[in-house]
Amino acid sequence: MSKIRIYALAKELGLDNNEMLELLDSMGVSYKSASSTLEEDMVETIKALVSEDRQTQNTGTQAVAAAKAAAQPAAEEAPGSDVPHRAPVVTIMGHVDHGKTSLLDYIRKTRVAAKEAGGITQHVGAFEAQTSKGKIVFIDTPGHEAFTSIRARGARVADIAIIVVAADDSIMPQTREAVAHAQAAKVPLIVAVNKIDLPSANPDKVKNDLMQLGLVPEEYGGQTITVELSAKTGQGVEELLDYISLVAEIEDLRADPKGEFKGVIIESKVDKQAGVLATILVQEGTLNVGDFVVVGETYGKIKAMTDSNGGRVKNAGPSTPVQVLGFSEAPVSGEIVSGAKNEHEARDIVARRKEEREAAAEATTRRKLSLEEVMGS
Ligand code: GDP
Ligand code: MG
């Protein structure tokens, strides 16, 4: 794997240049022209996105429109491929106090909300829930920052967004924001109408109000799945999990545990005793203790891994969040993690990235200077 020019990648994927540039725009990737080069991480992400789109036939995305326009090889990689299914990754968003933490808490069956200072989620976490329909991975975000920064880097982390709306409060500013984020990321959403145990709950009002956001509930003939529930009593939670599994099935989520490793940083922190602790969500391939990994301009060797229940594990496959020990600096959440064969290769990748960034910074400075000359300042 190495760097590749945009037009060459477009050709390789059977897209025309404009389609490729549109795709890059939608991912928020900056470039000068079709002959600009792309980082190898980015190349991987684009390839994954295009093939994911081709597999899921997710007609809403530009990549798919592009794939269809290109029309030839798409059919061969369609469903039924022997790449195994993977568990869905779900993010829960919504207005403050509408019950996001309580819902996660109920699902996790531990009392996280009670432990949090002031009831505010302190950091992004991730955990796996076993349900009657299989495993579901939940990501707990403090707001939308993690979600948006992850998006900006071109990686799609969540497969499904749950928008929590309190039935006694209905649509609020952060509900709109959450819906907008999910729509921008083209992530299918499910609306959880929460707090229906309250006497003042008015779920019908919530469903009506959703239509202002262009979300028409299924019972009104639309496409939006809504589930009435109570994170307090647990009523309706099972139904929500069923819907998540259903949406996941439609999305036909697959990843190869034997493929090249790729993951994303969900959170990281520095522990006084243990050192840097980073939570990685494995997206492709398998991460093993002893592996070398690269994130941005740092690399590390995985010394130990724990799963979301705190148990030690030696390897982690697709859709598994693990907390790892082995970085010397805390990686930034949203950054893509890739593998390296050995320390030598890891060091090379990091050195190359540093050089490229410095060259780009220098070019910017030069441009600024010459602009100042032209402006006569
Ligand atoms: P977040 O800010 O969205 O994470 O909301 P929290 O989960 O912290 O909940 C805010 C408040 O609403 C807390 O006092 C919860 O106990 C309460 N709450 C959450 N879900 C329910 C529910 O289903 N029913 C009732 N009665 N209260 C709830
Ligand atoms: Mg919370």
Side-chain angles (χ1 to χ4, degrees), residues 244-302:
I244 293 172
S245 302
L246 184 74
V247 173
E249 218 170 276
I250 295 167
E251 294 284 296
D252 196 37
L253 308 166
R254 292 167 190 269
D256 188 357
K258 297 197 194 82
E260 211 172 302
F261 164 72
K262 198 194 109 197
V264 62
I265 301 287
I266 298 293
E267 66 172 340
S268 71
K269 61 184 175 199
V270 182
D271 180 273
K272 273 200 197 104
Q273 268 142 32
V276 175
L277 289 169
T279 302
I280 297 176
L281 173 70
V282 179
Q283 296 182 303
E284 299 269 350
T286 298
L287 183 63
N288 306 288
V289 169
D291 284 355
F292 282 93
V293 291
V294 183
V295 182
E297 292 179 14
T298 51
Y299 73 91
K301 183 184 183 180
I302 307 295

Side-chain angles (χ1 to χ4, degrees), residues 3-278:
K3 291 207 305 180
I4 181 167
R5 290 189 195 279
I6 292 172
Y7 62 73
L9 180 64
K11 195 170 168 207
E12 190 181 326
L13 293 174
L15 305 178
D16 75 28
N17 286 344
N18 285 337
E19 288 165 342
M20 180 55 81
L21 296 181
E22 260 180 48
L23 177 61
L24 293 177
D25 288 341
S26 76
M27 291 168 65
V29 178
S30 57
Y31 55 82
K32 280 204 208 98
S33 71
S35 53
S36 303
T37 53
L38 294 169
E39 291 271 347
E40 66 179 88
D41 270 359
M42 189 50 71
V43 172
E44 283 308 302
T45 306
I46 292 165
K47 283 184 180 168
L49 268 179
V50 171
S51 85
E52 188 185 313
D53 277 343
R54 283 175 180 169
Q55 281 175 24
T56 58
Q57 302 290 313
N58 182 354
T59 42
T61 74
Q62 287 166 335
V64 143
K68 288 213 174 117
Q72 316 105 354
E76 279 146 46
E77 292 182 22
S81 74
D82 43 16
V83 175
H85 281 105
R86 62 172 178 80
V89 179
V90 177
T91 183
I92 299 196
M93 303 193 290
H95 197 73
V96 64
D97 283 349
H98 278 197
K100 298 177 294 293
T101 304
S102 302
L103 178 57
L104 277 168
D105 188 26
Y106 185 86
I107 295 169
R108 191 167 12 194
K109 296 264 200 306
T110 59
R111 303 203 42 81
V112 173
K115 274 189 255 160
E116 283 173 7
I120 296 161
T121 306
Q122 297 298 304
H123 58 253
V124 184
F127 72 96
E128 290 174 47
Q130 294 297 335
T131 74
S132 55
K133 303 272 165 29
K135 189 178 97 171
I136 301 174
V137 179
F138 287 91
I139 322 182
D140 188 4
T141 53
H144 309 304
E145 296 89 359
F147 196 60
T148 44
S149 75
I150 287 167
R151 276 296 306 163
R153 283 163 220 266
R156 178 165 134 165
V157 175
D159 302 305
I160 298 166
I162 306 298
I163 312 287
V164 176
V165 187
D168 62 338
D169 209 19
S170 200
I171 310 297
M172 294 305 266
Q174 286 163 51
T175 316
R176 291 174 201 280
E177 227 175 82
V179 169
H181 278 301
Q183 286 173 335
K186 297 192 172 75
V187 173
L189 60 84
I190 296 174
V191 178
V193 182
N194 190 32
K195 306 199 187 184
I196 53 157
D197 60 288
L198 292 175
S200 54
N202 189 351
D204 289 336
K205 179 175 188 316
V206 175
K207 288 179 202 172
N208 260 302
D209 290 351
L210 281 172
M211 293 200 277
Q212 300 164 7
L213 307 183
L215 299 175
V216 183
E218 277 183 322
E219 44 193 294
Y220 299 166
Q223 306 271 318
T224 303
I225 299 172
T226 61
V227 185
E228 293 181 23
L229 53 81
S230 165
K232 191 175 176 186
T233 67
Q235 185 195 342
V237 174
E238 194 61 36
E239 199 188 336
L240 175 70
L241 298 177
D242 283 349
Y243 272 117
I244 293 172
S245 302
L246 184 74
V247 173
E249 218 170 276
I250 295 167
E251 294 284 296
D252 196 37
L253 308 166
R254 292 167 190 269
D256 188 357
K258 297 197 194 82
E260 211 172 302
F261 164 72
K262 198 194 109 197
V264 62
I265 301 287
I266 298 293
E267 66 172 340
S268 71
K269 61 184 175 199
V270 182
D271 180 273
K272 273 200 197 104
Q273 268 142 32
V276 175
L277 289 169

Side-chain angles (χ1 to χ4, degrees), residues 292 294 299-301 340-349:
F292 282 93
V294 183
Y299 73 91
K301 183 184 183 180
K341 277 193 221 63
N342 48 43
E343 182 157 20
H344 185 74
E345 190 185 77
R347 224 182 255 155
D348 277 358
I349 296 171

